[in-house]
Amino acid sequence: MLSIQDLEKIAVQVRRDIVRMVNGASSGHPGGPLGCADFLVALYFKIMKPDPQQFTMDGAGEDLFFLSNGHLSALWYSVLARYGFFDTSELATFRKLGTRLQGHPATCEGLPGIRMSSGSLGQGLSVSIGAALSKKLNSDEHLVYCLLGDGELEEGQNWEAMMFAAGHKVDNLIAVIDCNGIQIDGPTDKVMPLGDIPAKFEAFGWKVLTMYGNDMTEVVDTLKKAQWYTLQGQPVVIVMTTHMGFGVDFMLDNHEWHGVFPNDEQTKTALAQLNETLGDY
Amino acid sequence: MTEYKNLGSKDTRSGFGEGLAELGRQNPNVVALCADLTGSLKMDAFARDFPERFFQVGIAEANMISIAAGMTIGGKIPYTGTFANFSTGRVYDQIRQSVAYSEKNVKICASHAGITLGEDGATHQIMEDIGLMKMLPNMTVINPCDFNQTKAATLAIADYQGPVYLRFGRPKWPNFTPLGQPFIIGKALLLNEGADVSIFATGHLVWNALQACQVLEEQGIHAEIIDIHTIKPLDEEAILASVRKTGCVVSAEEHLRNGGLGDSIAQLLARNHPAPMEMVAVNDQFGQSGKPEELLKKYGLDVPDIVAAALKAISRK
């Protein structure tokens, strides 16, 4: 069984992968992926623990994860590769012609681990509800997880989905909102104030938990707690505070690192702050 | 010419409703979602008989399409129901990313398509939907011509793996194709053989084309009438074979000229067998309120319009 320290080691390597992938592609999004690395490592390695050899599109009899904010693709690809869905050497193809690792996640390339294309924001929560309803119809008691960005909540479809999930008691669903307070054009408070996100979910009828997403112990504990609240008549949301760019000092909390790649010099500086714990791809 | 009798006018949306209810009995994986238009879409029977497989999503079409896409994960075959306008234009990006690009087995079922929606006016009379849907890679586009064919198509698309746009309408309309005629996706239906002009029609206008055929027959002109119920994939072989024989073409549809059936046929002919062609379609404008028959006349989609188009096409040979 993996300890918290083991998970932290994986997360550091995933952060290295993210920086190297985005640098290697000369394009991509480093900020959000660095901030959510702890969460996604915990979810795959400690909570969902899927069988990477038995990937099926239907995902019967296993927990499912959907990435709604598809621009966190570098993070997802690294976690999938480190978990064993495909060889880590493939991470070097990120965003390059002919790759299965498209700029935003795609199903058409047949990359194991991915069940829905995403990138155009605001659709993942609805998709996750659909998958959760399917599980209920199939008497499959496994759960559906979905990661969304806080800026993404500006898309109105999320509020349609929030209404539906509570109204239809979709209680086999755990949504996680990455609240780093930053979007492309600047702080969310300036671009479009989101107000009290936990209160809004609560008002819509969700069970709301909060956590700090850059502390592995807290992430694992809160995910376990969220699991406990499922199947009790309410959808569950974890409002997760993170730091965009976590692990790389010059990217920390800086909206300019949303969708900009680090040059070779910056990459060197960044990698000096992230130990190579599992071996680079 | 082959005689076609109206077996009793019925709305095509009721053909969808009957087909859906039958599917409920046949296929336990079929689920239905509706955005507050259960009665209009004739989904009541399915909702009543299979409440555990019917999902009312309220007035939230974007959510409906994405939920449907998610439900395919787990083996469900979701049928979504709302008006054609809200089934396409309103939710284009949801369909594009989560259904077409993701190759999900969603059946987007759209009623009240075209000008024959009538009195509700241009906000609801979408005539761009075929174009929007056929432009999407992976999407199959079907526009049946009557009640029986709509029912058959509703059943047939459940056995096809992949995204489908199924378009039908609001008014009671002549029902003339035989009950239980198998529906083959992508296979044009030859309704009348003729050597002088090929008339390719889709949806409600197939009946108008048959009426036009009779008028032409009285003038000694033998029109070939082909029902193109599947706009994508287009039955290229059948279309080319007919045009090689007749040497001229008319297309007829309740849709804009841009992006419609005629535009698909014109592309095919330009690449393979250029021939004089006339298009019976609405030209780059929105509709307005009125009775279906008044609107068909006003926007040039009536029987005399098809006759005139045929004569013009023949004169250009």
Side-chain angles (χ1 to χ4, degrees):
Chain A
M1 205 160 76
L2 294 171
S3 67
I4 293 294
Q5 287 72 28
D6 295 331
L7 294 172
E8 284 170 346
K9 268 189 195 166
I10 299 168
V12 174
Q13 184 65 51
V14 163
R15 287 190 163 96
R16 277 185 75 87
D17 289 347
I18 292 165
V19 171
R20 296 182 68 235
M21 287 164 74
V22 175
N23 169 258
S26 300
S27 80
H29 302 78
L34 290 170
C36 290
D38 303 301
F39 157 70
L40 206 61
V41 165
L43 184 68
Y44 270 82
F45 286 82
K46 192 76 180 175
I47 304 292
M48 298 205 312
K49 292 181 277 187
D51 180 352
Q53 306 310 319
Q54 303 292 326
F55 174 76
T56 63
M57 189 52 81
D58 272 352
E62 61 174 315
D63 292 342
L64 306 179
F65 170 71
F66 293 96
L67 181 72
S68 188
N69 44 351
H71 57 278
L72 269 60
S73 54
L75 165 62
W76 198 12
Y77 295 148
S78 166
V79 169
L80 288 174
R82 294 287 166 190
Y83 193 83
F85 279 92
F86 52 89
D87 199 274
T88 52
S89 63
E90 199 171 343
L91 295 176
T93 69
F94 178 56
R95 286 184 164 237
K96 293 180 177 159
L97 188 66
T99 185
R100 297 198 292 176
L101 280 57
Q102 289 290 300
H104 292 83
T107 56
C108 56
E109 307 297 334
L111 190 69
I114 297 189
R115 295 189 171 86
M116 181 63 71
S117 310
S118 60
S120 174
L121 297 174
Q123 302 180 29
L125 189 55
S126 306
V127 165
S128 303
I129 288 169
L133 291 175
S134 241
K135 287 214 174 287
K136 280 182 178 285
L137 286 171
N138 291 338
S139 306
D140 176 347
E141 288 206 346
H142 286 79
L143 301 177
V144 177
Y145 295 87
C146 179
L147 177 64
L148 303 88
D150 50 357
E152 187 180 4
L153 293 180
E154 291 158 18
E155 292 282 6
Q157 185 180 343
N158 287 305
W159 305 87
E160 297 180 1
M162 283 159 65
M163 225 182 306
F164 181 100
H168 284 257
K169 298 185 172 31
V170 186
D171 58 2
N172 53 345
L173 170 68
I174 298 175
V176 179
I177 315 296
D178 172 28
C179 292
N180 58 23
I182 292 173
Q183 57 192 109
I184 299 180
D185 276 357
T188 49
D189 278 348
K190 282 204 175 146
V191 177
M192 181 51 63
L194 290 160
D196 188 337
I197 295 173
K200 287 181 176 175
F201 270 95
E202 217 158 65
F204 273 71
W206 287 56
K207 175 66 195 172
V208 181
L209 302 175
T210 56
M211 75 178 177
Y212 173 53
N214 295 127
D215 179 287
M216 193 59 86
T217 307
E218 186 167 339
V219 170
V220 171
D221 287 350
T222 312
L223 282 170
K224 285 183 176 166
K225 201 166 148 193
Q227 283 181 317
W228 187 83
Y229 278 112
T230 57
L231 308 179
Q232 296 186 41
Q234 266 183 307
V236 180
V237 61
I238 302 173
V239 179
M240 170 174 81
T241 307
T242 65
H243 291 286
M244 179 184 266
F246 191 86
V248 177
D249 57 5
F250 60 88
M251 292 186 186
L252 195 71
D253 297 329
N254 184 347
H255 74 93
E256 283 167 19
W257 287 101
H258 167 89
V260 176
F261 71 94
N263 62 27
D264 292 347
E265 197 58 37
Q266 291 164 326
T267 299
K268 217 169 134 187
T269 311
L271 293 179
Q273 301 169 32
L274 300 164
N275 293 330
E276 187 180 344
T277 51
L278 303 175
D280 285 340
Y281 62 81
Chain B
M1 71 171 272
T2 318
E3 286 252 358
Y4 289 92
K5 282 208 179 90
N6 180 2
L7 309 167
S9 292
K10 285 183 182 178
D11 45 359
T12 49
R13 56 186 163 141
S14 287
F16 163 68
E18 256 192 35
L20 186 65
E22 197 167 312
L23 269 178
R25 292 185 284 277
Q26 286 176 7
N27 190 332
N29 282 324
V30 168
V31 298
L33 299 91
C34 187
D36 197 30
L37 287 170
T38 311
S40 296
L41 267 285
K42 306 294 178 189
M43 296 168 91
D44 340 45
F46 185 97
R48 182 194 62 224
D49 296 345
F50 310 100
E52 73 289 350
R53 285 192 270 147
F54 176 76
F55 298 89
Q56 172 61 265
V57 299
I59 311 164
E61 295 82 6
N63 193 36
M64 175 171 73
I65 295 293
S66 304
I67 289 177
M71 289 191 84
T72 64
I73 297 162
K76 301 302 158 205
I77 308 172
Y79 280 62
T80 65
T82 181
F83 292 162
N85 189 16
F86 314 137
S87 292
T88 56
R90 192 179 181 91
V91 292
Y92 197 67
D93 190 47
Q94 283 75 16
I95 296 175
R96 182 176 182 274
Q97 173 169 282
S98 299
V99 179
Y101 184 44
S102 294
E103 299 172 277
K104 297 304 180 199
N105 195 21
V106 176
K107 315 304 173 186
I108 299 158
C109 303
S111 183
H112 295 53
I115 198 97
T116 53
L117 167 106
E119 292 82 348
D120 278 347
T123 53
H124 289 51
Q125 288 158 341
I126 193 163
M127 292 187 283
E128 313 95 84
D129 56 326
I130 290 176
L132 287 170
M133 291 297 110
K134 81 175 188 186
M135 273 200 293
L136 288 171
N138 299 330
M139 185 62 75
T140 290
V141 179
I142 297 172
N143 187 19
C145 63
D146 68 359
F147 174 96
N148 284 344
Q149 194 174 72
T150 307
K151 183 177 173 183
T154 304
L155 294 168
I157 59 176
D159 295 327
Y160 165 79
Q161 175 74 30
V164 173
Y165 178 62
L166 180 65
R167 178 194 212 234
F168 41 89
R170 178 193 194 192
K172 286 196 165 44
W173 201 257
N175 184 30
F176 61 95
T177 61
L179 181 70
Q181 183 173 62
F183 186 90
I184 304 166
I185 296 169
K187 185 92 186 123
L189 194 62
L190 176 65
L191 294 176
N192 188 60
E193 282 193 58
D196 298 330
V197 57
S198 301
I199 303 180
F200 302 108
T202 192
H204 290 141
L205 292 207
V206 173
W207 177 254
N208 289 10
L210 286 170
Q211 303 308 296
C213 183
Q214 220 155 26
V215 176
L216 291 164
E217 197 70 33
E218 284 157 17
Q219 300 177 24
I221 293 164
H222 307 297
E224 182 141 292
I225 309 295
I226 298 185
D227 168 17
I228 308 288
H229 51 62
T230 308
I231 290 128
K232 187 183 169 191
L234 195 64
D235 190 344
E236 301 191 345
E237 212 173 299
I239 291 169
L240 287 172
S242 177
V243 179
R244 284 198 177 102
K245 180 174 71 177
T246 62
C248 70
V249 186
V250 171
S251 62
E253 62 195 309
E254 207 185 323
H255 191 271
L256 291 189
R257 192 187 292 170
N258 279 336
L261 168 67
D263 145 326
S264 290
I265 293 173
Q267 280 194 43
L268 172 71
L269 296 177
R271 280 186 285 114
N272 296 280
H273 187 81
M277 177 169 177
E278 295 296 324
M279 297 180 184
V280 174
V282 177
N283 187 24
D284 202 26
Q285 59 188 317
F286 290 108
Q288 60 177 301
S289 293
K291 292 194 188 321
E293 54 275 20
E294 293 170 339
L295 292 163
L296 287 170
K297 207 167 281 175
K298 162 89 184 159
Y299 288 90
L301 308 176
D302 206 359
V303 176
D305 301 301
I306 300 176
V307 171
L311 294 174
K312 193 168 175 196
I314 292 168
S315 76
R316 289 173 55 204
K317 272 207 250 188

